[in-house]
């Protein structure tokens, strides 16, 4: 069904938090603002740890990655920021010395790096980084950076146009969630969980629980985003991000309240659970041209199009 076109004058919500995850499956960074890029918020999922076969390591198999803390230079989120030879990403983890990754070094290219359906080349961060992650995870590993000079990883063309792309995210450059959805879920759980279990990029507040299910086009600070599909959740939300230990929740509760069977009884994927909305930025719009491509905590969120129920949302 065609989504309803709205002409809002009052915001539906506001941005309450922003998060970037420079290394896939490692700890996120809460930020007050972030430059927009077609592949996501700047720095998001530019790096991934891979195993000896070049396949991405994630918390699904290596939950200890949740304990790796990532720090960027203080000015790394300035829109015109350019790293120098003294610009480092710093990694910390229990029992490990700090690791410094130079943000401007010349990289060797390594081939056959695989993240889900995509295989391509990436930039190798070198032997020191490889040794650090191998020691921490207890198996041969390598840290690589997306080879933006020659590689493109497109978003699933079954859902969006081929101009949309991402780096090492699971599949989409942005994930949006509302605080109200988390609050509604926590009311059903014996032990409330924090938002870091769900690893959103954009957290909003001020709307009804699960409103974001319905949003197919929104504007944040003048920038247009398309709600592409409901986010199906894997094992990661069951992993405590402070300890790296997994349990049965919130998946057990989500199966009762947010499964495909409950939300989309006539659709496919009845045994998946959904929480959050995958999005792309309509960066080719005229409003996206020029400077000042930054979103900030506190920015209003306007809903331009929405469907009437989760059953009509793509998933």
């Amino acid at each position: 069904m065609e989504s309803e076109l709205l002409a809002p004058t009052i915001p539906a919500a506001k941005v309450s938090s922003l998060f970037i995850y420079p290394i896939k499956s490692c700890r996120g960074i809460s930020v007050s603002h972030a430059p927009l890029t077609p592949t996501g918020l700047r720095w998001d999922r530019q790096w991934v740890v891979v195993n000896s076969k070049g396949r991405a390591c994630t918390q699904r198999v290596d939950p200890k990655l949740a304990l790796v803390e990532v720090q960027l230079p203080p000015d790394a989120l300035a829109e015109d920021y350019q790293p120098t030879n003294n610009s480092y990403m710093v990694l910390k983890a229990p029992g490990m010395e700090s690791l410094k990754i130079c943000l401007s070094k010349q990289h060797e290219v390594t081939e056959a790096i695989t993240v889900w359906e995509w295989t391509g080349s990436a930039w190798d961060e070198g032997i020191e980084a490889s040794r650090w992650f191998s020691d921490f995870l207890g198996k041969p590993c390598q840290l690589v950076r997306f080879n933006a000079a020659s590689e493109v990883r497109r978003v699933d063309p079954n859902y969006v146009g081929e101009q949309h792309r991402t780096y090492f995210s699971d599949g989409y450059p942005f994930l949006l969630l509302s605080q109200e959805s988390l609050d509604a879920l926590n009311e059903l759980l014996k032990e409330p969980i924090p938002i870091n279990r769900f690893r959103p990029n954009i957290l909003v507040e001020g709307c009804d629980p699960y409103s974001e299910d319905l949003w197919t086009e929104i504007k944040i600070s003048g920038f247009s985003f398309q709600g592409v599909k409901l986010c199906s959740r894997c094992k990661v939300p069951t992993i405590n991000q402070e300890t790296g230990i997994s349990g049965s929740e919130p998946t057990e509760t989500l199966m009762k309240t947010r499964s495909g069977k409950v939300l989309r009884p006539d659709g496919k994927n009845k045994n998946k659970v959904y929480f959050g909305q995958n999005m792309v930025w309509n960066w080719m719009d005229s409003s996206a041209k020029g400077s000042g491509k930054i979103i900030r905590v506190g920015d209003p969120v306007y809903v331009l199009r929405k469907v009437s129920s989760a059953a009509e949302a793509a998933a």
Side-chain angles (χ1 to χ4, degrees):
M1 179 177 171
E2 185 82 17
S3 56
E4 176 187 358
L5 179 61
L6 308 171
T9 55
I10 298 172
K14 71 173 183 179
V15 176
S16 57
S17 297
L18 295 167
F19 303 95
I20 56 174
Y21 308 86
I23 305 175
K24 183 178 182 67
S25 261
C26 293
R27 195 163 286 182
I29 304 171
S30 178
V31 297
S32 62
H33 65 280
L36 288 172
T37 80
T39 55
L41 300 180
R42 187 169 187 189
W43 305 111
D44 194 57
R45 275 89 168 195
Q46 279 199 22
W47 288 265
V48 64
V49 181
V50 296
N51 65 16
S52 59
K53 295 181 179 178
R55 293 188 173 277
C57 298
T58 75
Q59 288 186 35
R60 296 167 180 84
V61 174
D62 298 293
K64 280 183 73 175
L65 286 170
L67 308 181
V68 178
E69 181 185 341
V70 183
Q71 296 174 345
L72 290 171
D75 52 349
L77 292 169
E79 191 180 16
D80 57 355
Y81 175 78
Q82 294 295 329
T84 69
N85 291 337
N86 293 317
S87 302
Y88 294 95
M89 176 171 67
V90 179
L91 310 185
K92 298 179 179 179
M96 304 292 293
E97 296 284 333
S98 295
L99 174 68
K100 294 170 74 173
I101 302 293
C102 182
L103 296 178
S104 67
K105 77 178 237 189
Q106 295 294 308
H107 299 79
E108 296 290 324
V109 173
T110 185
E111 302 291 341
I113 299 301
T114 300
V115 176
W116 299 119
E117 78 307 329
W118 178 89
T119 298
S121 69
W123 291 322
D124 182 7
E125 287 293 0
I127 188 67
E128 189 181 354
S130 176
R131 192 176 293 126
W132 195 90
F133 275 102
S134 299
D135 289 347
F136 185 62
L137 294 180
K139 62 182 182 181
C141 292
Q142 189 180 4
L143 179 66
V144 300
R145 187 174 184 178
F146 194 88
N147 182 358
S150 63
E151 296 288 352
V152 172
R153 183 172 172 230
R154 300 194 191 284
V155 172
D156 188 339
N158 293 317
Y159 289 93
V160 292
E162 64 177 26
Q163 76 272 25
H164 293 295
R165 50 210 195 226
T166 187
Y167 282 160
F168 291 133
S169 71
D170 272 355
Y172 295 88
F174 299 92
L175 174 62
L176 180 141
L177 265 170
S178 73
Q179 180 66 47
E180 285 74 14
S181 298
L182 179 66
D183 293 345
L185 173 61
N186 276 333
E187 285 180 13
L188 303 176
L189 298 175
K190 289 177 183 172
E191 293 184 22
I193 59 174
I195 193 62
N196 64 13
R197 293 285 193 102
F198 294 103
R199 301 173 70 80
N201 298 109
I202 302 170
L203 184 67
V204 302
E205 66 180 16
C207 57
D208 290 332
Y210 305 115
S211 295
E212 65 270 25
D213 288 356
L214 312 181
W215 299 347
T216 56
E217 186 181 350
I218 65 172
K219 271 202 167 171
I220 301 176
S221 187
F223 301 109
S224 169
F225 292 85
Q226 179 183 343
V228 178
K229 67 190 288 282
L230 301 182
C231 182
S232 63
R233 308 311 304 222
C234 62
K235 175 186 176 182
V236 171
T238 69
I239 299 169
N240 184 318
Q241 297 295 296
E242 306 304 318
T243 65
I245 298 170
S246 64
S248 61
E249 292 289 13
T251 301
E252 203 170 279
T253 295
L254 289 173
M255 279 301 295
K256 299 170 187 168
T257 60
R258 298 283 302 170
S259 68
K261 185 177 181 180
V262 172
L263 296 180
R264 312 173 72 254
D266 297 326
K268 299 177 183 175
N269 302 323
K270 288 187 169 44
N271 291 323
K272 289 189 174 179
V273 296
Y274 297 95
F275 203 79
Q277 177 77 253
N278 289 306
M279 299 196 312
V280 294
W281 171 35
N282 294 320
W283 57 277
M284 297 184 77
D285 283 3
S286 57
S287 63
K289 294 186 171 73
S291 61
K293 301 185 188 72
I294 288 182
I295 61 172
R296 303 176 187 278
V297 170
D299 280 347
V301 178
Y302 295 93
V303 178
L304 306 187
R305 287 181 186 272
K306 66 177 182 176
V307 292
S308 57
S309 72
E312 294 172 16

